[in-house]
Amino acid sequence: MSLAACGEFGLIERIRAQVRERDDVLLGIGDDCCAVRLPPGEILLTTTDLLLEGVHFRREWTDFHSLGRKSVAVNVSDVAAMGGIPRTLSLGLGLPAELGETEFDALIAGVLGAAAEYGALLTGGDTCRSRGGLMIALTVQGSIRPELIVRRSGARCGERLYVSGTLGESALALRELLAGRTPADALARRHHDPQARLALGQRLAEARLATAMIDLSDGLLADLGHLLDASGVGARIEAAALPLAPAFRAALALDPSLIELALAGGEDYELLWSAPAEAAPALARLAAELDLGVTCIGTLVVAPGLEVLGFDGQPLRLTRPGFNHFSSPAE
Ligand code: ADP
Ligand code: MG
């Protein structure tokens, strides 16, 4: 059956019926606004991301469950990058009328499943028919004690730059898809079903182990550029230090130019942060505890701009924000 038969309120009811209650949510789906209590001493964080068919995803490459999960993860990733705690979600949907119920249910199951994993509850949204493609506009609200907020602007020269996890796999998967090939499962998952580094972001904030932080959505160079601009410092990073997964290294051995995907590919959803050198032992302990890679990729310097040393130790020539020959083809 197509969604047209369910009607707007049928669809909303279908969503509402799956959402549980929670003490801090005085009003959830069903009134004009949701009403949510924040823990004493915490302030509100709000972030929104759009996922548009043909721009951010293609229906033939992703399944609806992963799409729902991804729309939550990319939002929660922004909360993680502040050190915050996600609490509620608002889900705006533009739905083509020919979309099937099965697809709708898979999308909602993906959203609700990922939301539960990150501790967020769906408390509202809007549901409209789209005459174009599928559109998902997700807003996450979270909270944090104001003194713990980690901005983009706190980095100081002399500090080190760290990233979590590994870089470039999502972009490598996309490159395979664009070339008409099927990426290996693990690669495809990094692209279609990314994980937000929420526990890491919160722990870094609580322990004050990050002076500035950003999540990597547009590619390391572009996002690092934002952090440097906001902080008024420059950086030197080394290609040889970038954390790369075995599958990525294998591809890189065959085609050295793929390093561009780790530097500028985008959609890694890892965290990038700065910390003073003295934080290194605490960061190593945190990485072990969370079982997540934490890698120093360079240092912050007085001279403005970004210098990237290639595998031969020579500076790569790149012009920020450029070096994205990839400048994001659709999906
Ligand atoms: P209004 O017309 O007052 O904006 P709607 O009729 O659009 O209200 O929505 C009714 C209720 O259903 C609201 O509480 C709204 O937040 C919720 N809602 C609508 N669409 C969604 C959705 N896609 N996901 C979650 N809640 C939704
Ligand atoms: Mg409405």
Side-chain angles (χ1 to χ4, degrees):
M1 194 160 77
S2 84
L3 295 188
C6 305
E8 178 186 340
F9 298 105
L11 292 175
I12 295 173
E13 180 50 31
R14 222 175 159 104
I15 297 172
R16 196 201 55 75
Q18 299 180 62
V19 175
R20 59 192 176 85
E21 298 186 346
R22 205 173 67 185
D23 285 350
D24 58 323
V25 177
L26 282 68
L27 289 171
I29 297 172
D31 215 310
D32 293 312
C33 291
C34 70
V36 180
R37 216 188 303 276
L38 289 182
E42 297 193 10
I43 57 167
L44 184 66
L45 298 171
T46 303
T47 175
T48 299
D49 276 285
L50 280 180
L51 276 88
L52 303 178
E53 184 170 358
V55 178
H56 299 95
F57 65 91
R58 292 193 195 171
R59 269 197 242 179
E60 64 271 29
W61 286 347
T62 183
D63 63 281
F64 280 76
H65 190 260
S66 299
L67 187 60
R69 291 181 56 79
K70 182 170 182 173
S71 56
V72 175
V74 303
N75 257 262
V76 168
S77 179
D78 285 311
V79 177
M82 306 297 285
I85 301 162
R87 299 202 176 272
T88 60
L89 289 184
S90 183
L91 175 64
L93 291 174
L95 302 168
E98 89 284 353
L99 202 74
E101 261 183 86
T102 317
E103 286 134 353
F104 176 83
D105 287 343
L107 180 73
I108 299 303
V111 167
L112 296 179
E117 279 170 31
Y118 296 120
L121 197 72
L122 183 63
T123 54
D126 204 16
T127 306
C128 297
R129 178 171 176 174
S130 166
R131 297 196 189 279
L134 174 61
M135 189 195 91
I136 305 165
L138 211 112
T139 297
V140 174
Q141 295 197 304
S143 69
I144 188 169
R145 279 164 40 211
E147 66 275 18
L148 294 186
I149 288 184
V150 188
R151 301 165 196 236
R152 296 178 177 183
S153 55
R156 296 294 169 255
C157 71
E159 291 178 346
R160 296 181 180 176
L161 275 172
Y162 290 89
V163 289
S164 62
T166 53
L167 303 177
E169 290 138 84
S170 174
L172 182 57
L174 176 58
R175 185 172 167 277
E176 294 294 291
L177 291 165
L178 286 167
R181 294 187 290 264
T182 306
D185 277 357
L187 271 189
R189 228 174 299 124
R190 287 287 320 242
H191 185 66
H192 294 309
D193 188 10
Q195 305 293 302
R197 301 304 187 191
L198 184 60
L200 175 65
Q202 288 169 357
R203 295 290 299 275
L204 289 172
E206 274 163 20
R208 299 173 201 277
L209 289 171
T211 52
M213 183 151 61
I214 190 169
D215 69 317
L216 297 179
S217 52
D218 297 337
L220 173 64
L221 295 188
D223 291 320
L224 173 54
H226 297 316
L227 187 147
L228 298 179
D229 289 344
S231 295
V233 292
R236 184 182 309 119
I237 65 171
E238 293 176 40
L242 298 181
L244 305 174
F248 191 93
R249 283 192 191 281
L252 186 64
L254 300 175
D255 179 358
S257 77
L258 291 183
I259 195 64
E260 295 185 359
L261 296 177
L263 286 167
E267 296 210 279
D268 295 303
Y269 298 107
E270 296 295 348
L271 293 176
L272 167 72
W273 70 98
S274 52
E278 309 84 80
L283 288 172
R285 282 195 299 275
L286 183 57
E289 202 183 313
L290 297 177
D291 194 21
L292 178 64
V294 164
T295 306
C296 176
I297 60 164
T299 51
L300 295 169
V301 297
V302 186
L306 176 57
E307 186 174 56
V308 183
L309 301 180
F311 284 101
D312 57 0
Q314 296 302 309
L316 292 179
R317 257 188 290 129
L318 31 98
T319 45
R320 266 205 311 121
F323 201 64
N324 56 357
H325 317 265
F326 311 96
S327 94
S328 319
E331 217 252 30

